PDB file of all heavy atoms in Angstrom:
ATOM      1  N   LEU A  88     -24.680 -23.851 -17.974  1.00  0.00           N
ATOM      2  CA  LEU A  88     -23.997 -22.820 -18.799  1.00  0.00           C
ATOM      3  C   LEU A  88     -25.063 -22.251 -19.806  1.00  0.00           C
ATOM      4  O   LEU A  88     -25.022 -21.042 -20.016  1.00  0.00           O
ATOM      5  CB  LEU A  88     -22.942 -23.523 -19.627  1.00  0.00           C
ATOM      6  CG  LEU A  88     -22.009 -22.581 -20.405  1.00  0.00           C
ATOM      7  CD1 LEU A  88     -21.211 -21.633 -19.529  1.00  0.00           C
ATOM      8  CD2 LEU A  88     -21.022 -23.428 -21.281  1.00  0.00           C
ATOM      9  N   TRP A  89     -25.966 -23.049 -20.343  1.00  0.00           N
ATOM     10  CA  TRP A  89     -26.948 -22.518 -21.220  1.00  0.00           C
ATOM     11  C   TRP A  89     -27.944 -21.618 -20.462  1.00  0.00           C
ATOM     12  O   TRP A  89     -28.444 -20.605 -21.037  1.00  0.00           O
ATOM     13  CB  TRP A  89     -27.684 -23.644 -21.931  1.00  0.00           C
ATOM     14  CG  TRP A  89     -26.879 -24.254 -23.020  1.00  0.00           C
ATOM     15  CD1 TRP A  89     -25.965 -23.583 -23.838  1.00  0.00           C
ATOM     16  CD2 TRP A  89     -26.765 -25.618 -23.421  1.00  0.00           C
ATOM     17  NE1 TRP A  89     -25.419 -24.496 -24.780  1.00  0.00           N
ATOM     18  CE2 TRP A  89     -25.911 -25.698 -24.533  1.00  0.00           C
ATOM     19  CE3 TRP A  89     -27.440 -26.784 -23.014  1.00  0.00           C
ATOM     20  CZ2 TRP A  89     -25.599 -26.894 -25.191  1.00  0.00           C
ATOM     21  CZ3 TRP A  89     -27.195 -28.025 -23.644  1.00  0.00           C
ATOM     22  CH2 TRP A  89     -26.307 -28.026 -24.686  1.00  0.00           C
ATOM     23  N   CYS A  90     -28.283 -22.019 -19.296  1.00  0.00           N
ATOM     24  CA  CYS A  90     -29.160 -21.151 -18.427  1.00  0.00           C
ATOM     25  C   CYS A  90     -28.541 -19.764 -18.235  1.00  0.00           C
ATOM     26  O   CYS A  90     -29.259 -18.739 -18.285  1.00  0.00           O
ATOM     27  CB  CYS A  90     -29.567 -21.817 -17.199  1.00  0.00           C
ATOM     28  SG  CYS A  90     -30.667 -23.240 -17.289  1.00  0.00           S
ATOM     29  N   LEU A  91     -27.288 -19.790 -17.789  1.00  0.00           N
ATOM     30  CA  LEU A  91     -26.522 -18.482 -17.692  1.00  0.00           C
ATOM     31  C   LEU A  91     -26.528 -17.684 -18.982  1.00  0.00           C
ATOM     32  O   LEU A  91     -26.666 -16.448 -18.922  1.00  0.00           O
ATOM     33  CB  LEU A  91     -25.075 -18.758 -17.123  1.00  0.00           C
ATOM     34  CG  LEU A  91     -24.951 -19.141 -15.686  1.00  0.00           C
ATOM     35  CD1 LEU A  91     -23.467 -19.533 -15.425  1.00  0.00           C
ATOM     36  CD2 LEU A  91     -25.393 -18.010 -14.781  1.00  0.00           C
ATOM     37  N   GLN A  92     -26.273 -18.347 -20.045  1.00  0.00           N
ATOM     38  CA  GLN A  92     -26.241 -17.707 -21.364  1.00  0.00           C
ATOM     39  C   GLN A  92     -27.664 -17.029 -21.630  1.00  0.00           C
ATOM     40  O   GLN A  92     -27.664 -15.895 -22.119  1.00  0.00           O
ATOM     41  CB  GLN A  92     -25.906 -18.722 -22.437  1.00  0.00           C
ATOM     42  CG  GLN A  92     -25.864 -18.045 -23.840  1.00  0.00           C
ATOM     43  CD  GLN A  92     -25.494 -19.067 -24.931  1.00  0.00           C
ATOM     44  OE1 GLN A  92     -25.414 -20.285 -24.644  1.00  0.00           O
ATOM     45  NE2 GLN A  92     -25.335 -18.596 -26.112  1.00  0.00           N
ATOM     46  N   LEU A  93     -28.716 -17.735 -21.369  1.00  0.00           N
ATOM     47  CA  LEU A  93     -30.064 -17.095 -21.692  1.00  0.00           C
ATOM     48  C   LEU A  93     -30.272 -15.956 -20.749  1.00  0.00           C
ATOM     49  O   LEU A  93     -30.915 -14.971 -21.177  1.00  0.00           O
ATOM     50  CB  LEU A  93     -31.106 -18.302 -21.457  1.00  0.00           C
ATOM     51  CG  LEU A  93     -31.076 -19.293 -22.552  1.00  0.00           C
ATOM     52  CD1 LEU A  93     -32.121 -20.426 -22.203  1.00  0.00           C
ATOM     53  CD2 LEU A  93     -31.345 -18.790 -23.959  1.00  0.00           C
ATOM     54  N   ILE A  94     -29.882 -16.051 -19.499  1.00  0.00           N
ATOM     55  CA  ILE A  94     -30.097 -14.946 -18.640  1.00  0.00           C
ATOM     56  C   ILE A  94     -29.277 -13.709 -18.969  1.00  0.00           C
ATOM     57  O   ILE A  94     -29.866 -12.541 -19.124  1.00  0.00           O
ATOM     58  CB  ILE A  94     -29.803 -15.354 -17.117  1.00  0.00           C
ATOM     59  CG1 ILE A  94     -30.754 -16.443 -16.694  1.00  0.00           C
ATOM     60  CG2 ILE A  94     -29.661 -14.185 -16.216  1.00  0.00           C
ATOM     61  CD1 ILE A  94     -30.371 -16.990 -15.368  1.00  0.00           C
ATOM     62  N   PHE A  95     -28.057 -13.936 -19.411  1.00  0.00           N
ATOM     63  CA  PHE A  95     -27.196 -12.745 -19.792  1.00  0.00           C
ATOM     64  C   PHE A  95     -27.634 -12.215 -21.127  1.00  0.00           C
ATOM     65  O   PHE A  95     -27.718 -11.035 -21.273  1.00  0.00           O
ATOM     66  CB  PHE A  95     -25.704 -13.242 -19.948  1.00  0.00           C
ATOM     67  CG  PHE A  95     -25.002 -13.132 -18.590  1.00  0.00           C
ATOM     68  CD1 PHE A  95     -25.080 -14.205 -17.672  1.00  0.00           C
ATOM     69  CD2 PHE A  95     -24.220 -12.029 -18.325  1.00  0.00           C
ATOM     70  CE1 PHE A  95     -24.320 -14.184 -16.556  1.00  0.00           C
ATOM     71  CE2 PHE A  95     -23.497 -11.941 -17.142  1.00  0.00           C
ATOM     72  CZ  PHE A  95     -23.552 -13.074 -16.207  1.00  0.00           C
ATOM     73  N   VAL A  96     -28.128 -13.064 -22.053  1.00  0.00           N
ATOM     74  CA  VAL A  96     -28.558 -12.502 -23.379  1.00  0.00           C
ATOM     75  C   VAL A  96     -29.831 -11.813 -23.227  1.00  0.00           C
ATOM     76  O   VAL A  96     -30.063 -10.806 -23.889  1.00  0.00           O
ATOM     77  CB  VAL A  96     -28.709 -13.740 -24.305  1.00  0.00           C
ATOM     78  CG1 VAL A  96     -29.466 -13.333 -25.612  1.00  0.00           C
ATOM     79  CG2 VAL A  96     -27.331 -14.327 -24.711  1.00  0.00           C
ATOM     80  N   SER A  97     -30.718 -12.192 -22.289  1.00  0.00           N
ATOM     81  CA  SER A  97     -32.020 -11.520 -22.156  1.00  0.00           C
ATOM     82  C   SER A  97     -31.939 -10.240 -21.261  1.00  0.00           C
ATOM     83  O   SER A  97     -32.846  -9.457 -21.345  1.00  0.00           O
ATOM     84  CB  SER A  97     -33.054 -12.455 -21.575  1.00  0.00           C
ATOM     85  OG  SER A  97     -33.181 -13.681 -22.281  1.00  0.00           O
ATOM     86  N   THR A  98     -30.876 -10.108 -20.552  1.00  0.00           N
ATOM     87  CA  THR A  98     -30.791  -8.945 -19.628  1.00  0.00           C
ATOM     88  C   THR A  98     -30.812  -7.617 -20.390  1.00  0.00           C
ATOM     89  O   THR A  98     -31.423  -6.645 -19.916  1.00  0.00           O
ATOM     90  CB  THR A  98     -29.503  -9.085 -18.704  1.00  0.00           C
ATOM     91  OG1 THR A  98     -29.577 -10.291 -17.923  1.00  0.00           O
ATOM     92  CG2 THR A  98     -29.373  -7.871 -17.802  1.00  0.00           C
ATOM     93  N   PRO A  99     -30.076  -7.429 -21.510  1.00  0.00           N
ATOM     94  CA  PRO A  99     -30.168  -6.112 -22.216  1.00  0.00           C
ATOM     95  C   PRO A  99     -31.557  -5.746 -22.665  1.00  0.00           C
ATOM     96  O   PRO A  99     -31.922  -4.554 -22.728  1.00  0.00           O
ATOM     97  CB  PRO A  99     -29.252  -6.346 -23.443  1.00  0.00           C
ATOM     98  CG  PRO A  99     -28.327  -7.398 -22.997  1.00  0.00           C
ATOM     99  CD  PRO A  99     -29.070  -8.303 -22.147  1.00  0.00           C
ATOM    100  N   ALA A 100     -32.387  -6.785 -22.921  1.00  0.00           N
ATOM    101  CA  ALA A 100     -33.881  -6.453 -23.230  1.00  0.00           C
ATOM    102  C   ALA A 100     -34.563  -5.861 -22.065  1.00  0.00           C
ATOM    103  O   ALA A 100     -35.518  -4.998 -22.217  1.00  0.00           O
ATOM    104  CB  ALA A 100     -34.564  -7.701 -23.727  1.00  0.00           C
ATOM    105  N   LEU A 101     -34.194  -6.238 -20.820  1.00  0.00           N
ATOM    106  CA  LEU A 101     -34.745  -5.650 -19.696  1.00  0.00           C
ATOM    107  C   LEU A 101     -34.390  -4.071 -19.535  1.00  0.00           C
ATOM    108  O   LEU A 101     -35.132  -3.320 -19.016  1.00  0.00           O
ATOM    109  CB  LEU A 101     -34.370  -6.422 -18.404  1.00  0.00           C
ATOM    110  CG  LEU A 101     -34.724  -7.911 -18.336  1.00  0.00           C
ATOM    111  CD1 LEU A 101     -34.240  -8.532 -17.064  1.00  0.00           C
ATOM    112  CD2 LEU A 101     -36.174  -8.037 -18.538  1.00  0.00           C
ATOM    113  N   LEU A 102     -33.214  -3.736 -20.006  1.00  0.00           N
ATOM    114  CA  LEU A 102     -32.839  -2.376 -19.992  1.00  0.00           C
ATOM    115  C   LEU A 102     -33.754  -1.580 -20.969  1.00  0.00           C
ATOM    116  O   LEU A 102     -34.124  -0.401 -20.587  1.00  0.00           O
ATOM    117  CB  LEU A 102     -31.358  -2.218 -20.414  1.00  0.00           C
ATOM    118  CG  LEU A 102     -30.292  -2.882 -19.503  1.00  0.00           C
ATOM    119  CD1 LEU A 102     -28.948  -2.688 -20.034  1.00  0.00           C
ATOM    120  CD2 LEU A 102     -30.512  -2.241 -18.097  1.00  0.00           C
ATOM    121  N   VAL A 103     -34.034  -2.131 -22.084  1.00  0.00           N
ATOM    122  CA  VAL A 103     -35.009  -1.486 -22.937  1.00  0.00           C
ATOM    123  C   VAL A 103     -36.347  -1.378 -22.303  1.00  0.00           C
ATOM    124  O   VAL A 103     -37.068  -0.374 -22.469  1.00  0.00           O
ATOM    125  CB  VAL A 103     -34.997  -2.283 -24.299  1.00  0.00           C
ATOM    126  CG1 VAL A 103     -36.069  -1.692 -25.248  1.00  0.00           C
ATOM    127  CG2 VAL A 103     -33.707  -2.371 -24.999  1.00  0.00           C
ATOM    128  N   ALA A 104     -36.799  -2.403 -21.623  1.00  0.00           N
ATOM    129  CA  ALA A 104     -38.076  -2.362 -20.901  1.00  0.00           C
ATOM    130  C   ALA A 104     -38.192  -1.272 -19.908  1.00  0.00           C
ATOM    131  O   ALA A 104     -39.119  -0.467 -19.794  1.00  0.00           O
ATOM    132  CB  ALA A 104     -38.362  -3.667 -20.269  1.00  0.00           C
ATOM    133  N   MET A 105     -37.065  -1.032 -19.150  1.00  0.00           N
ATOM    134  CA  MET A 105     -37.047   0.040 -18.218  1.00  0.00           C
ATOM    135  C   MET A 105     -37.043   1.425 -18.876  1.00  0.00           C
ATOM    136  O   MET A 105     -37.743   2.340 -18.419  1.00  0.00           O
ATOM    137  CB  MET A 105     -35.814  -0.080 -17.314  1.00  0.00           C
ATOM    138  CG  MET A 105     -35.806  -1.239 -16.373  1.00  0.00           C
ATOM    139  SD  MET A 105     -34.477  -1.224 -15.186  1.00  0.00           S
ATOM    140  CE  MET A 105     -33.095  -1.632 -16.218  1.00  0.00           C
ATOM    141  N   HIS A 106     -36.318   1.502 -20.061  1.00  0.00           N
ATOM    142  CA  HIS A 106     -36.386   2.798 -20.798  1.00  0.00           C
ATOM    143  C   HIS A 106     -37.765   3.086 -21.389  1.00  0.00           C
ATOM    144  O   HIS A 106     -38.261   4.220 -21.308  1.00  0.00           O
ATOM    145  CB  HIS A 106     -35.388   2.691 -21.936  1.00  0.00           C
ATOM    146  CG  HIS A 106     -35.078   4.016 -22.517  1.00  0.00           C
ATOM    147  ND1 HIS A 106     -33.839   4.408 -22.969  1.00  0.00           N
ATOM    148  CD2 HIS A 106     -35.886   5.162 -22.779  1.00  0.00           C
ATOM    149  CE1 HIS A 106     -33.806   5.667 -23.448  1.00  0.00           C
ATOM    150  NE2 HIS A 106     -35.063   6.147 -23.296  1.00  0.00           N
ATOM    151  N   VAL A 107     -38.433   2.028 -21.876  1.00  0.00           N
ATOM    152  CA  VAL A 107     -39.800   2.143 -22.334  1.00  0.00           C
ATOM    153  C   VAL A 107     -40.738   2.611 -21.209  1.00  0.00           C
ATOM    154  O   VAL A 107     -41.529   3.541 -21.430  1.00  0.00           O
ATOM    155  CB  VAL A 107     -40.246   0.876 -23.025  1.00  0.00           C
ATOM    156  CG1 VAL A 107     -41.780   0.930 -23.265  1.00  0.00           C
ATOM    157  CG2 VAL A 107     -39.512   0.675 -24.298  1.00  0.00           C
ATOM    158  N   ALA A 108     -40.655   1.981 -20.060  1.00  0.00           N
ATOM    159  CA  ALA A 108     -41.500   2.375 -18.889  1.00  0.00           C
ATOM    160  C   ALA A 108     -41.190   3.803 -18.492  1.00  0.00           C
ATOM    161  O   ALA A 108     -42.186   4.527 -18.189  1.00  0.00           O
ATOM    162  CB  ALA A 108     -41.212   1.427 -17.720  1.00  0.00           C
ATOM    163  N   TYR A 109     -39.930   4.245 -18.510  1.00  0.00           N
ATOM    164  CA  TYR A 109     -39.613   5.647 -18.183  1.00  0.00           C
ATOM    165  C   TYR A 109     -40.249   6.646 -19.233  1.00  0.00           C
ATOM    166  O   TYR A 109     -40.789   7.719 -18.874  1.00  0.00           O
ATOM    167  CB  TYR A 109     -38.100   5.825 -18.183  1.00  0.00           C
ATOM    168  CG  TYR A 109     -37.626   7.276 -18.016  1.00  0.00           C
ATOM    169  CD1 TYR A 109     -37.746   7.942 -16.786  1.00  0.00           C
ATOM    170  CD2 TYR A 109     -37.175   7.977 -19.154  1.00  0.00           C
ATOM    171  CE1 TYR A 109     -37.287   9.287 -16.748  1.00  0.00           C
ATOM    172  CE2 TYR A 109     -36.740   9.240 -19.070  1.00  0.00           C
ATOM    173  CZ  TYR A 109     -36.820   9.863 -17.846  1.00  0.00           C
ATOM    174  OH  TYR A 109     -36.320  11.196 -17.761  1.00  0.00           O
ATOM    175  N   ARG A 110     -40.134   6.316 -20.553  1.00  0.00           N
ATOM    176  CA  ARG A 110     -40.686   7.095 -21.567  1.00  0.00           C
ATOM    177  C   ARG A 110     -42.246   7.268 -21.391  1.00  0.00           C
ATOM    178  O   ARG A 110     -42.847   8.304 -21.526  1.00  0.00           O
ATOM    179  CB  ARG A 110     -40.392   6.535 -22.944  1.00  0.00           C
ATOM    180  CG  ARG A 110     -38.961   6.845 -23.410  1.00  0.00           C
ATOM    181  CD  ARG A 110     -38.856   8.249 -24.092  1.00  0.00           C
ATOM    182  NE  ARG A 110     -39.798   8.342 -25.198  1.00  0.00           N
ATOM    183  CZ  ARG A 110     -39.382   7.906 -26.425  1.00  0.00           C
ATOM    184  NH1 ARG A 110     -38.219   7.461 -26.695  1.00  0.00           N
ATOM    185  NH2 ARG A 110     -40.244   8.049 -27.456  1.00  0.00           N
ATOM    186  N   LYS A 111     -42.893   6.137 -21.106  1.00  0.00           N
ATOM    187  CA  LYS A 111     -44.325   6.190 -20.967  1.00  0.00           C
ATOM    188  C   LYS A 111     -44.726   6.989 -19.729  1.00  0.00           C
ATOM    189  O   LYS A 111     -45.747   7.686 -19.787  1.00  0.00           O
ATOM    190  CB  LYS A 111     -44.831   4.709 -20.831  1.00  0.00           C
ATOM    191  CG  LYS A 111     -44.938   3.935 -22.168  1.00  0.00           C
ATOM    192  CD  LYS A 111     -45.552   2.636 -22.012  1.00  0.00           C
ATOM    193  CE  LYS A 111     -45.682   2.011 -23.400  1.00  0.00           C
ATOM    194  NZ  LYS A 111     -46.443   0.809 -23.311  1.00  0.00           N
ATOM    195  N   ARG A 112     -43.938   6.915 -18.601  1.00  0.00           N
ATOM    196  CA  ARG A 112     -44.284   7.664 -17.510  1.00  0.00           C
ATOM    197  C   ARG A 112     -44.158   9.088 -17.760  1.00  0.00           C
ATOM    198  O   ARG A 112     -44.925   9.990 -17.302  1.00  0.00           O
ATOM    199  CB  ARG A 112     -43.360   7.256 -16.271  1.00  0.00           C
ATOM    200  CG  ARG A 112     -43.760   7.913 -14.997  1.00  0.00           C
ATOM    201  CD  ARG A 112     -43.029   7.394 -13.810  1.00  0.00           C
ATOM    202  NE  ARG A 112     -41.643   7.586 -13.928  1.00  0.00           N
ATOM    203  CZ  ARG A 112     -40.715   6.582 -14.149  1.00  0.00           C
ATOM    204  NH1 ARG A 112     -41.085   5.303 -14.353  1.00  0.00           N
ATOM    205  NH2 ARG A 112     -39.473   6.801 -14.239  1.00  0.00           N
ATOM    206  N   GLU A 113     -43.101   9.594 -18.592  1.00  0.00           N
ATOM    207  CA  GLU A 113     -42.945  10.929 -18.902  1.00  0.00           C
ATOM    208  C   GLU A 113     -44.045  11.450 -19.821  1.00  0.00           C
ATOM    209  O   GLU A 113     -44.523  12.579 -19.671  1.00  0.00           O
ATOM    210  CB  GLU A 113     -41.564  11.155 -19.600  1.00  0.00           C
ATOM    211  CG  GLU A 113     -40.384  10.901 -18.660  1.00  0.00           C
ATOM    212  CD  GLU A 113     -40.365  11.915 -17.524  1.00  0.00           C
ATOM    213  OE1 GLU A 113     -40.625  13.107 -17.833  1.00  0.00           O
ATOM    214  OE2 GLU A 113     -40.050  11.512 -16.357  1.00  0.00           O
ATOM    215  N   ASN A 114     -44.421  10.578 -20.781  1.00  0.00           N
ATOM    216  CA  ASN A 114     -45.552  10.928 -21.663  1.00  0.00           C
ATOM    217  C   ASN A 114     -46.855  11.110 -20.921  1.00  0.00           C
ATOM    218  O   ASN A 114     -47.758  11.983 -21.173  1.00  0.00           O
ATOM    219  CB  ASN A 114     -45.742   9.903 -22.768  1.00  0.00           C
ATOM    220  CG  ASN A 114     -44.593   9.905 -23.735  1.00  0.00           C
ATOM    221  OD1 ASN A 114     -43.868  10.855 -23.840  1.00  0.00           O
ATOM    222  ND2 ASN A 114     -44.389   8.792 -24.420  1.00  0.00           N
ATOM    223  N   LYS A 115     -47.094  10.263 -19.876  1.00  0.00           N
ATOM    224  CA  LYS A 115     -48.235  10.413 -19.019  1.00  0.00           C
ATOM    225  C   LYS A 115     -48.280  11.712 -18.257  1.00  0.00           C
ATOM    226  O   LYS A 115     -49.261  12.431 -18.116  1.00  0.00           O
ATOM    227  CB  LYS A 115     -48.260   9.234 -18.058  1.00  0.00           C
ATOM    228  CG  LYS A 115     -49.479   9.199 -17.142  1.00  0.00           C
ATOM    229  CD  LYS A 115     -49.583   7.941 -16.280  1.00  0.00           C
ATOM    230  CE  LYS A 115     -50.719   7.941 -15.378  1.00  0.00           C
ATOM    231  NZ  LYS A 115     -50.679   6.827 -14.406  1.00  0.00           N
ATOM    232  N   LYS A 116     -47.061  12.161 -17.743  1.00  0.00           N
ATOM    233  CA  LYS A 116     -46.991  13.400 -17.003  1.00  0.00           C
ATOM    234  C   LYS A 116     -47.272  14.528 -17.984  1.00  0.00           C
ATOM    235  O   LYS A 116     -48.021  15.498 -17.541  1.00  0.00           O
ATOM    236  CB  LYS A 116     -45.581  13.556 -16.423  1.00  0.00           C
ATOM    237  CG  LYS A 116     -45.292  12.677 -15.269  1.00  0.00           C
ATOM    238  CD  LYS A 116     -43.878  12.904 -14.768  1.00  0.00           C
ATOM    239  CE  LYS A 116     -43.582  11.900 -13.534  1.00  0.00           C
ATOM    240  NZ  LYS A 116     -42.169  12.174 -13.092  1.00  0.00           N
ATOM    241  N   ILE A 117     -46.810  14.489 -19.242  1.00  0.00           N
ATOM    242  CA  ILE A 117     -47.083  15.520 -20.192  1.00  0.00           C
ATOM    243  C   ILE A 117     -48.572  15.679 -20.498  1.00  0.00           C
ATOM    244  O   ILE A 117     -49.168  16.719 -20.591  1.00  0.00           O
ATOM    245  CB  ILE A 117     -46.242  15.313 -21.456  1.00  0.00           C
ATOM    246  CG1 ILE A 117     -44.789  15.438 -21.151  1.00  0.00           C
ATOM    247  CG2 ILE A 117     -46.652  16.277 -22.586  1.00  0.00           C
ATOM    248  CD1 ILE A 117     -43.816  15.039 -22.299  1.00  0.00           C
ATOM    249  N   VAL A 118     -49.151  14.469 -20.667  1.00  0.00           N
ATOM    250  CA  VAL A 118     -50.625  14.525 -20.979  1.00  0.00           C
ATOM    251  C   VAL A 118     -51.435  14.981 -19.778  1.00  0.00           C
ATOM    252  O   VAL A 118     -52.378  15.882 -20.040  1.00  0.00           O
ATOM    253  CB  VAL A 118     -51.121  13.068 -21.395  1.00  0.00           C
ATOM    254  CG1 VAL A 118     -52.652  13.068 -21.424  1.00  0.00           C
ATOM    255  CG2 VAL A 118     -50.462  12.677 -22.662  1.00  0.00           C
ATOM    256  N   LEU A 119     -51.060  14.670 -18.636  1.00  0.00           N
ATOM    257  CA  LEU A 119     -51.825  15.208 -17.461  1.00  0.00           C
ATOM    258  C   LEU A 119     -51.599  16.683 -17.199  1.00  0.00           C
ATOM    259  O   LEU A 119     -52.533  17.412 -16.844  1.00  0.00           O
ATOM    260  CB  LEU A 119     -51.353  14.360 -16.156  1.00  0.00           C
ATOM    261  CG  LEU A 119     -51.808  12.858 -16.129  1.00  0.00           C
ATOM    262  CD1 LEU A 119     -51.230  12.220 -14.901  1.00  0.00           C
ATOM    263  CD2 LEU A 119     -53.255  12.757 -16.146  1.00  0.00           C
ATOM    264  N   ALA A 120     -50.414  17.154 -17.602  1.00  0.00           N
ATOM    265  CA  ALA A 120     -50.070  18.544 -17.397  1.00  0.00           C
ATOM    266  C   ALA A 120     -50.816  19.425 -18.461  1.00  0.00           C
ATOM    267  O   ALA A 120     -51.242  20.489 -18.258  1.00  0.00           O
ATOM    268  CB  ALA A 120     -48.642  18.885 -17.432  1.00  0.00           C
ATOM    269  N   SER A 121     -50.943  18.904 -19.694  1.00  0.00           N
ATOM    270  CA  SER A 121     -51.581  19.660 -20.749  1.00  0.00           C
ATOM    271  C   SER A 121     -53.079  19.619 -20.718  1.00  0.00           C
ATOM    272  O   SER A 121     -53.688  20.643 -20.952  1.00  0.00           O
ATOM    273  CB  SER A 121     -51.144  19.085 -22.120  1.00  0.00           C
ATOM    274  OG  SER A 121     -51.453  17.769 -22.251  1.00  0.00           O
ATOM    275  N   ASN A 122     -53.619  18.462 -20.389  1.00  0.00           N
ATOM    276  CA  ASN A 122     -55.140  18.292 -20.379  1.00  0.00           C
ATOM    277  C   ASN A 122     -55.674  18.624 -18.977  1.00  0.00           C
ATOM    278  O   ASN A 122     -56.954  18.862 -18.943  1.00  0.00           O
ATOM    279  CB  ASN A 122     -55.590  16.963 -20.922  1.00  0.00           C
ATOM    280  CG  ASN A 122     -55.155  16.736 -22.316  1.00  0.00           C
ATOM    281  OD1 ASN A 122     -54.899  17.634 -23.111  1.00  0.00           O
ATOM    282  ND2 ASN A 122     -55.032  15.448 -22.649  1.00  0.00           N
ATOM    283  N   GLY A 123     -54.950  18.480 -17.992  1.00  0.00           N
ATOM    284  CA  GLY A 123     -55.466  18.537 -16.624  1.00  0.00           C
ATOM    285  C   GLY A 123     -55.896  17.142 -16.099  1.00  0.00           C
ATOM    286  O   GLY A 123     -56.306  16.268 -16.850  1.00  0.00           O
ATOM    287  N   THR A 124     -55.834  17.011 -14.825  1.00  0.00           N
ATOM    288  CA  THR A 124     -56.146  15.703 -14.224  1.00  0.00           C
ATOM    289  C   THR A 124     -57.589  15.320 -14.404  1.00  0.00           C
ATOM    290  O   THR A 124     -57.986  14.225 -14.668  1.00  0.00           O
ATOM    291  CB  THR A 124     -55.736  15.693 -12.748  1.00  0.00           C
ATOM    292  OG1 THR A 124     -54.392  16.116 -12.657  1.00  0.00           O
ATOM    293  CG2 THR A 124     -55.886  14.319 -12.135  1.00  0.00           C
ATOM    294  N   GLU A 125     -58.439  16.378 -14.303  1.00  0.00           N
ATOM    295  CA  GLU A 125     -59.908  16.073 -14.377  1.00  0.00           C
ATOM    296  C   GLU A 125     -60.379  15.751 -15.740  1.00  0.00           C
ATOM    297  O   GLU A 125     -61.293  14.920 -16.017  1.00  0.00           O
ATOM    298  CB  GLU A 125     -60.687  17.275 -13.787  1.00  0.00           C
ATOM    299  CG  GLU A 125     -60.375  17.501 -12.340  1.00  0.00           C
ATOM    300  CD  GLU A 125     -61.192  18.724 -11.816  1.00  0.00           C
ATOM    301  OE1 GLU A 125     -61.858  19.390 -12.588  1.00  0.00           O
ATOM    302  OE2 GLU A 125     -61.079  18.899 -10.604  1.00  0.00           O
ATOM    303  N   LYS A 126     -59.764  16.360 -16.834  1.00  0.00           N
ATOM    304  CA  LYS A 126     -60.188  16.246 -18.219  1.00  0.00           C
ATOM    305  C   LYS A 126     -59.620  14.956 -18.775  1.00  0.00           C
ATOM    306  O   LYS A 126     -60.115  14.427 -19.795  1.00  0.00           O
ATOM    307  CB  LYS A 126     -59.691  17.450 -19.012  1.00  0.00           C
ATOM    308  CG  LYS A 126     -60.400  18.711 -18.647  1.00  0.00           C
ATOM    309  CD  LYS A 126     -60.063  19.859 -19.585  1.00  0.00           C
ATOM    310  CE  LYS A 126     -60.742  21.175 -19.228  1.00  0.00           C
ATOM    311  NZ  LYS A 126     -60.300  22.326 -20.075  1.00  0.00           N
ATOM    312  N   THR A 127     -58.579  14.466 -18.180  1.00  0.00           N
ATOM    313  CA  THR A 127     -57.955  13.192 -18.769  1.00  0.00           C
ATOM    314  C   THR A 127     -58.748  11.982 -18.277  1.00  0.00           C
ATOM    315  O   THR A 127     -58.933  11.749 -17.160  1.00  0.00           O
ATOM    316  CB  THR A 127     -56.455  13.096 -18.176  1.00  0.00           C
ATOM    317  OG1 THR A 127     -55.796  14.312 -18.639  1.00  0.00           O
ATOM    318  CG2 THR A 127     -55.801  11.911 -18.914  1.00  0.00           C
TER     319      THR A 127
END
């Protein structure tokens, strides 16, 4: 029961991790588009 509790309690943090990864990927695309692939 405690193992299930820890898994369920930690799962929302994984949603934040996915959102952070998405934001970083979008920021990387913006930097590559503004500076160019060769200059970055």
Side-chain angles (χ1 to χ4, degrees):
L88 186 64
W89 284 326
C90 287
L91 284 175
Q92 181 180 5
L93 291 174
I94 291 172
F95 273 85
V96 167
S97 305
T98 299
L101 300 180
L102 299 177
V103 178
M105 290 189 292
H106 195 143
V107 168
Y109 171 77
R110 283 276 301 272
K111 286 189 174 183
R112 187 170 64 250
E113 292 298 319
N114 293 338
K115 182 179 178 181
K116 290 180 181 179
I117 293 173
V118 170
L119 292 176
S121 59
N122 297 338
T124 307
E125 297 179 355
K126 294 182 179 180
T127 304

